């Protein structure tokens, strides 16, 4: 793995982005998944402005791991979230949401994560869910030590996330097909119940989808319960006509 290096915040040249995306398109899909995802991460690091470290989170058999990363700070912050059972990369991985964080706000959605990230010099972060045929089994995580992540950076990161998602989909055609299929089915159920819970909160609190997701995530952290379990409990109580 290679360490991330600080770069200026200017946008990459269009030709640089085009060259990297062309190289992405030539990556063989029949190579080991971890090797492919590491190459995706390395290429993304070349053209995402203001991103000094990034990683790819995979959720397998209910457990999360970093399948690829550039920069030790990405690995360290990912592991902290896995150990705690909460954090933006985990929420993005099971929900498919794009979670954007200004880590200067220590009273935001993930205060514990924000404090640790700031201690390691990270001032902004984003996690993008990796959708596979309407299912989500991981996240692409961006970490910046130089400033807020521009919308254009996040939009370009979506392209790399889509390549990672294609690799995951393709992996189901090789080797451990049955195991991966079961993981994808579980991921689909997780996302479905999260969407149902968001719908309940949108109706109950008169908020939009983003606010509903933030409310659900805060409840998950406050009760020390995984996001999917928090969502399932809320939906179950709503079906029984219980408030709260």
């Amino acid at each position: 793995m290679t360490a991330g290096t600080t770069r200026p915040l200017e946008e990459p040249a269009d030709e640089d982005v085009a060259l990297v995306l062309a190289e992405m398109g030539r990556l063989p899909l029949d190579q080991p998944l971890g090797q492919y995802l590491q190459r995706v991460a390395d290429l993304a690091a070349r053209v995402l402005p203001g991103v000094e470290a990034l990683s790819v989170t995979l959720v397998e058999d209910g457990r999360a791991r970093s399948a690829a990363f550039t920069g030790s700070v990405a690995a360290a912050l990912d592991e902290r979230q896995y150990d705690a059972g909460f954090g933006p990369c985990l929420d993005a991985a099971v929900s498919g949401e794009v979670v954007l964080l200004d880590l200067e706000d220590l009273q935001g959605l993930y205060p514990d994560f924000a404090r640790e990230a700031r201690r390691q010099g990270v001032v902004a972060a984003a996690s993008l869910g990796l959708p596979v045929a309407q299912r989500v089994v991981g996240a692409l995580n961006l970490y910046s030590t130089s400033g807020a992540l521009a919308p254009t950076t996040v939009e370009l990161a979506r392209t790399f996330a889509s390549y990672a998602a294609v690799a995951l989909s393709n992996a189901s055609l090789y080797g451990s097909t049955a195991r991966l299929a079961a993981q994808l089915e579980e991921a689909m159920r997780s996302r479905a119940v999260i969407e149902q819970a968001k719908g309940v909160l949108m109706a109950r609190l008169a908020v939009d989808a983003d606010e509903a997701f933030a409310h659900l995530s805060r409840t998950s952290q406050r009760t020390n319960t995984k996001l999917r379990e928090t969502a399932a409990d809320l939906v179950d109580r709503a079906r029984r006509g219980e408030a709260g």
Side-chain angles (χ1 to χ4, degrees):
M1 310 296 179
T2 58
T5 56
T6 302
R7 69 182 64 183
L9 294 178
E10 67 266 14
E11 296 296 317
D14 289 344
E15 56 269 26
D16 293 338
V17 174
L19 286 172
V20 165
L21 293 181
E23 188 171 345
M24 288 280 294
R26 292 192 296 269
L27 293 179
L29 284 168
D30 58 352
Q31 63 184 297
L33 181 60
Q35 182 177 323
Y36 181 97
L37 294 176
Q38 184 60 51
R39 190 62 183 141
V40 171
D42 290 339
L43 289 170
R46 282 168 50 181
V47 294
L48 290 176
V51 176
E52 284 73 52
L54 57 84
S55 63
V56 180
T57 293
L58 292 187
V59 179
E60 300 175 299
D61 298 328
R63 292 178 293 183
R65 66 182 179 90
S66 294
F69 63 88
T70 69
S72 58
V73 68
L77 290 177
D78 285 357
E79 287 298 329
R80 183 177 180 85
Q81 293 174 73
Y82 305 154
D83 290 343
F86 303 103
C89 78
L90 295 176
D91 285 354
V94 299
S95 71
E97 302 284 341
V98 175
V99 181
L100 294 172
L101 297 176
D102 174 2
L103 298 174
E104 293 184 359
D105 180 10
L106 298 181
Q107 303 303 316
L109 190 55
Y110 305 95
D112 292 341
F113 171 78
R115 280 190 287 271
E116 177 60 21
R118 288 303 305 271
R119 191 183 71 80
Q120 298 200 36
V122 174
V123 298
S127 290
L128 299 83
L130 302 180
V132 179
Q134 299 182 342
R135 291 162 282 191
V136 181
V137 291
L140 175 65
N141 312 302
L142 315 178
Y143 297 103
S144 174
T145 60
S146 53
L149 294 169
T152 51
T153 296
V154 177
E155 195 57 38
L156 181 56
R158 288 180 187 271
T159 301
F160 290 97
S162 70
Y163 275 99
V166 167
L168 290 170
S169 181
N170 190 73
S172 67
L173 302 177
Y174 298 89
S176 56
T177 301
R179 186 170 70 91
L180 183 57
Q183 292 166 4
L184 293 177
E185 183 64 26
E186 176 61 25
M188 181 177 68
R189 288 195 296 268
S190 294
R191 188 174 188 187
V193 75
I194 289 169
E195 290 299 317
Q196 292 172 18
K198 285 167 57 179
V200 170
L201 291 171
M202 289 168 69
R204 181 179 294 170
L205 304 178
V207 297
D208 64 20
D210 290 341
E211 292 171 317
F213 177 75
H215 179 91
L216 189 65
S217 184
R218 283 193 293 268
T219 301
S220 169
Q221 294 179 70
R222 186 179 68 251
T223 59
N224 197 34
T225 306
K226 291 182 178 179
L227 187 67
R228 182 192 184 284
E229 295 171 0
T230 300
D233 180 64
L234 188 151
V235 170
D236 185 56
R237 286 187 284 112
R239 286 173 178 162
R240 298 198 305 265
E242 299 177 11

